[in-house]
Amino acid sequence: MFSHWLAVLLVRSESALERARQHATEDDEVDGPRRSAWYSDRPPPFFAAVVSDTRRTMTARQQHDVECSDVDVLRQTPRLMWETDGLLGLVAYRAQSRWTSLGIPVLPRLARRVCSMAGNIRIDDQAIIEPGAIFPHGQVTITGATHIGPGSSIRQWTRIGPGPTGDAPQLGAVVRVGTTSEISGSVRVGAHAIIGANACVSEDVPAKATVVGDPARVIGMRTPAPLGTPRRAARPRQQRQPDRSAPPVPT
Amino acid sequence: MKVDLHAEQPRRAPQPNLRTAVGGDLRLAGRALADDGATARNLLGRGLRLAVTNRALQGLIAYRLQVHFAERGRPQVSRAFHWLAIWRGQICIGRAVVLEPGVSIPEGRVVLDGRIHVASEVVIGPETTLGLREGSFAAPRIGRGTTIGRRVSILGGVTIGGGARILENSVVLNNVAAYTTVAGRPTTPVISPAAPVISPATPAISPAAPFRSAQQTT
């Protein structure tokens, strides 16, 4: 039973990660923002998303080993939920969206309460966040049918949601949203874009652009490394500390 | 961005001890309620009464306990108080931050991370971020009696002089001189120290107004 569940989980997360990678490399070749075929209308599968999110958190903490299996990553998830500010809320949101799509009545509301208590993350049911997101300090409000691409990093005090017309923003892959920024209305943000602190985005942002200010203006374009490239060689895992209660060995 | 985590870091200032820190915070909160020259003991009582209902103050006290247990080598207890601070006051402060005794966070909702040093009698408004810029560990230093408005981001190794005012919705990326009022993204001086609104002779800015508004909303 357990192995069956594990096999299903691994296959699912493999395919989700594969799709995320494909998506990112496809978008690398595109200049302008666009709606990719990868965007789905359904929330991503729960465990695949949680594994991706945990990997993203570990990468941010420079603890990520690329060869680490999904099961190892899942074993790290509870620890990281306790030690980091954003992951607990994010996992609660994943549960919320999963239970909502299954049609379970009360549990999504409870998950939403947990989500908003742990790091004040408020995400509507209609919003879709692809796997591999990170909220470094929580404190994020995402409303309406907002779509956030894989590998995005959304910092604190941001508001992302529909404007007065009711159309929600679409964020591409690996977008980095800075603190206190606001994205509203039917805006498309291209892949690998960076949105600076306190920016108010109400028009489309091209891929790989850096925007700041109110209204946001482009101040630079960048050439990022493709997704999955390790920033630095993975450090060897720390050895377990010797037991302090054991008597010291005489030399 | 390559960041060498093993590079030599400057030592941060020592953390204030729990008693002094909580006492200072409660007294400042009590003085903000009514600046009528009450004795320190009365102010402490007033602060304690305020802490019964004020979630931001509860969050701040939880943060002080977080620091206390982190200093005594109890990381998990410290982490529990960190979550308590997030839950009660939406106050999310990293372990390298030093807040001197007597800091006012009237409405909570702040994120502070990195080797930040905040002097006493600083008022930090809601939805504020004090943190690092990418690629550097240099963190802001906030001088005594500074007022930081709502939705302000102070990023990178910025020094803010005492008695400065940072108006709302600004991004501070450069140093701010003492007793200057700044605004904008990035900030420019609005009122320079040549014609100070807050005269250097006045001891400190009274944080009365934000406290009263916090009370009305909650």
Side-chain angles (χ1 to χ4, degrees):
Chain A
M1 179 61 200
F2 181 71
S3 57
H4 167 74
W5 172 80
L6 209 58
V8 169
L9 156 71
L10 288 182
V11 168
R12 276 173 157 189
S13 59
E14 262 318 298
S15 57
L17 282 176
E18 197 48 49
R19 277 189 297 170
R21 288 205 187 100
Q22 269 178 12
H23 177 70
T25 44
E26 275 170 21
D27 256 13
D28 273 349
E29 295 152 15
V30 181
D31 294 330
R34 57 160 194 168
R35 193 186 169 98
S36 157
W38 197 78
Y39 283 102
S40 66
D41 298 333
R42 288 183 303 135
F46 177 77
F47 282 105
V50 169
V51 167
S52 282
D53 296 339
T54 312
R55 279 189 194 277
R56 183 75 173 80
T57 305
M58 288 161 90
T59 311
R61 290 166 68 91
Q62 306 205 351
Q63 291 172 343
H64 189 222
D65 186 353
V66 181
E67 290 163 12
C68 194
S69 79
D70 285 359
V71 180
D72 284 345
V73 170
L74 264 189
R75 279 167 57 201
Q76 298 293 322
T77 306
R79 178 180 69 82
L80 287 171
M81 278 159 69
W82 172 252
E83 284 185 3
T84 64
D85 298 330
L87 192 63
L88 175 56
L90 188 52
V91 171
Y93 158 71
R94 296 289 183 204
Q96 173 199 337
S97 68
R98 182 72 189 133
W99 288 331
T100 309
S101 67
L102 286 177
I104 296 171
V106 185
L107 289 178
R109 303 273 68 78
L110 285 178
R112 196 183 155 93
R113 292 306 305 169
V114 170
C115 199
S116 75
M117 263 166 64
N120 192 30
I121 294 167
R122 285 142 203 243
I123 306 171
D124 279 3
D125 288 337
Q126 305 98 306
I128 291 174
I129 297 178
E130 304 290 1
I134 184 172
F135 303 136
H137 288 104
Q139 326 287 1
V140 170
T141 308
I142 297 170
T143 52
T146 304
H147 195 119
I148 293 175
S152 300
S153 148
I154 299 172
R155 291 198 170 265
Q156 60 270 20
W157 315 126
T158 47
R159 300 175 192 149
I160 304 177
T165 54
D167 291 335
Q170 310 274 335
L171 275 64
V174 206
V175 169
R176 282 167 41 197
V177 182
T179 68
T180 334
S181 50
E182 233 175 307
I183 304 175
S184 60
S186 85
V187 172
R188 284 186 191 165
V189 179
H192 297 282
I194 300 177
I195 293 163
N198 288 49
C200 289
V201 179
S202 48
E203 285 180 2
D204 286 0
V205 175
K208 301 181 198 172
T210 306
V211 298
V212 294
D214 176 17
R217 60 180 199 282
V218 178
I219 58 160
M221 307 290 276
R222 65 179 189 141
T223 50
L227 187 73
T229 314
R231 286 179 180 177
R232 45 185 288 157
R235 278 210 306 279
R237 204 174 277 179
Q238 269 196 339
Q239 292 298 312
R240 183 178 279 266
Q241 293 291 316
D243 191 2
R244 284 188 192 152
S245 61
V249 181
T251 49
Chain B
M1 185 59 63
K2 277 183 186 167
V3 176
D4 189 5
L5 286 179
H6 305 291
E8 193 82 2
Q9 297 296 328
R11 284 186 70 83
R12 64 161 164 71
Q15 293 280 6
N17 85 51
L18 178 69
R19 215 186 154 91
T20 329
V22 173
D25 293 342
L26 289 179
R27 282 193 195 101
L28 186 66
R31 202 181 72 188
L33 204 60
D35 200 355
D36 52 1
T39 62
R41 199 184 167 81
N42 285 349
L43 285 180
L44 191 66
R46 214 183 269 172
L48 275 171
R49 259 171 279 139
L50 198 59
V52 173
T53 51
N54 191 319
R55 294 184 64 148
L57 203 50
Q58 289 163 12
L60 189 56
I61 293 170
Y63 162 71
R64 296 299 189 184
L65 286 161
Q66 171 199 336
V67 167
H68 176 72
F69 285 107
E71 291 289 294
R72 299 183 73 172
R74 306 289 299 277
Q76 302 308 324
V77 182
S78 159
R79 192 69 203 158
F81 278 110
H82 179 82
W83 280 113
L84 194 66
I86 290 180
W87 174 43
R88 293 311 295 174
Q90 296 175 28
I91 290 172
C92 176
I93 304 181
R95 67 183 125 171
V97 179
V98 177
L99 293 190
E100 282 183 10
V103 167
S104 163
I105 306 181
E107 295 173 49
R109 296 172 76 76
V110 296
V111 172
L112 279 70
D113 208 357
R115 286 164 178 273
I116 300 168
H117 186 96
V118 180
S120 53
E121 297 186 39
V122 169
V123 182
I124 306 178
E127 309 205 358
T128 296
T129 303
L130 273 66
L132 311 178
R133 290 180 84 174
E134 193 177 345
S136 157
F137 280 114
R141 289 184 68 83
I142 314 291
R144 189 183 166 101
T146 300
T147 307
I148 300 171
R150 72 167 55 223
R151 282 179 90 79
V152 169
S153 305
I154 303 178
L155 307 174
V158 172
T159 306
I160 293 174
R165 286 183 64 157
I166 297 156
L167 300 187
E168 50 206 53
N169 255 317
S170 35
V171 181
V172 184
L173 302 175
N174 302 313
N175 292 351
V176 175
Y179 301 103
T180 317
T181 303
V182 296
R185 354 181 174 188
T187 46
T188 45
V190 176
I191 300 165
S192 61
V197 172
I198 316 110
S199 133
T202 354
I205 300 157
S206 163
F211 256 106
R212 293 222 177 86
S213 68
Q215 267 207 326
Q216 281 162 9
T217 52
T218 47

